[in-house]
Amino acid sequence: EYDWIRAAEFGDSVGTDIITSSLGYTTFDNSSYNHTYSMLDGKTLAISKAATMAARKGIFVCIAAGNEGASSWYYISAPSDADSVCTVGAVDASGNVASFSGKGPTSNGRIKPDVCARGVSTAIAAPNGTVFTANGTSFATPLIAGAVACLWQAKPNLTNIQLLNLIKQFSSNSSNPNNNMGWGIPDFCGAYTTINNLEVSQSVKIFPNPTSNNIYLKTYQVMNKITMFDVLGHVLLIKNVKDVSEMIDLSDIKNGIYFITIEFENGNIFNTKIIKY
């Protein structure tokens, strides 16, 4: 455990962004060092305190929930009890929680694991280049870490805690998290699309709306094409533009509700409703 702490300290010193760890500690050759369930509160064991410190320094920490779910121990292991880390459980190809996946809660009542990934018959690359399948939360955890790296690279302004909360929000069990699979299986594409659309919508200003005549569009991204539809989906207007602002003359358009789609030069798309009166 103290070697793990030293490794985390070294990682922090050289700018590590993500830790993915498949180690979990419960019992030792010297039984006087054994942990008890009551110790799994994220505040007692040195390794768990260090994992929390790493997370609070901005590192996204992924920890395997452990494989004791079908044993007499049953629970997660240290440091997956740590606060602010992403504890990862295992599911099969159908999304069912693996019997061996370590269960929560922490001894002070926090839900664990946080999320789950494929940990049953997971494809593994061997050192000799061959591929085989194996079971374990140790194989689910790096899947989450890899997806986290992709999402964080796409949205680098997010903090690690914002990223963790976003991932949990867009997981399959987010409406009813429990101590078998936490918030569930993350939908990283959904998380990316939603936050991307939010960023796009915040960069677009359309005014006045409602309007009796002209409507103005101002954005922080270069527009490529503007399309206007009626409520039946008929295309009323297409404008090819290469600018961050545009005016649309609605004087020949009947009063009613219409929809505008803005396609940006970078591939983003924004949809909105306007009212002509």
Side-chain angles (χ1 to χ4, degrees), residues 156-228:
N157 291 330
L158 294 175
T159 68
N160 61 323
I161 302 302
Q162 288 173 331
L163 191 62
L164 176 57
N165 290 335
L166 179 68
I167 291 165
K168 289 160 70 172
Q169 178 186 346
F170 283 88
S171 292
S172 60
N173 203 37
S174 61
S175 61
N176 188 33
N178 58 48
N179 289 301
N180 289 320
M181 67 183 306
W183 280 256
I185 302 166
D187 177 2
F188 282 89
C189 288
Y192 170 78
T193 300
T194 298
I195 194 169
N196 199 57
N197 288 345
L198 178 62
E199 290 174 351
V200 172
S201 65
Q202 290 174 340
S203 73
V204 178
K205 297 188 182 301
I206 297 180
F207 58 93
N209 189 20
T211 182
S212 59
N213 194 359
N214 300 328
I215 197 160
Y216 297 87
L217 289 71
K218 288 192 175 182
T219 74
Y220 298 115
Q221 304 174 42
V222 177
M223 293 180 284
N224 195 43
K225 184 169 73 171
I226 301 169
T227 307
M228 183 174 170

Side-chain angles (χ1 to χ4, degrees), residues 13-15 19 68 77 79 93-94 105 107 111 123 131 145 154 182 194 227 229 243-244 254 258 265:
S13 74
V14 295
I19 290 173
E68 306 300 324
S77 53
S94 299
S107 64
I111 292 175
V131 176
T194 298
T227 307
F229 307 86
D243 207 340
V244 294
K254 295 179 180 179
Y258 299 94
E265 199 171 50

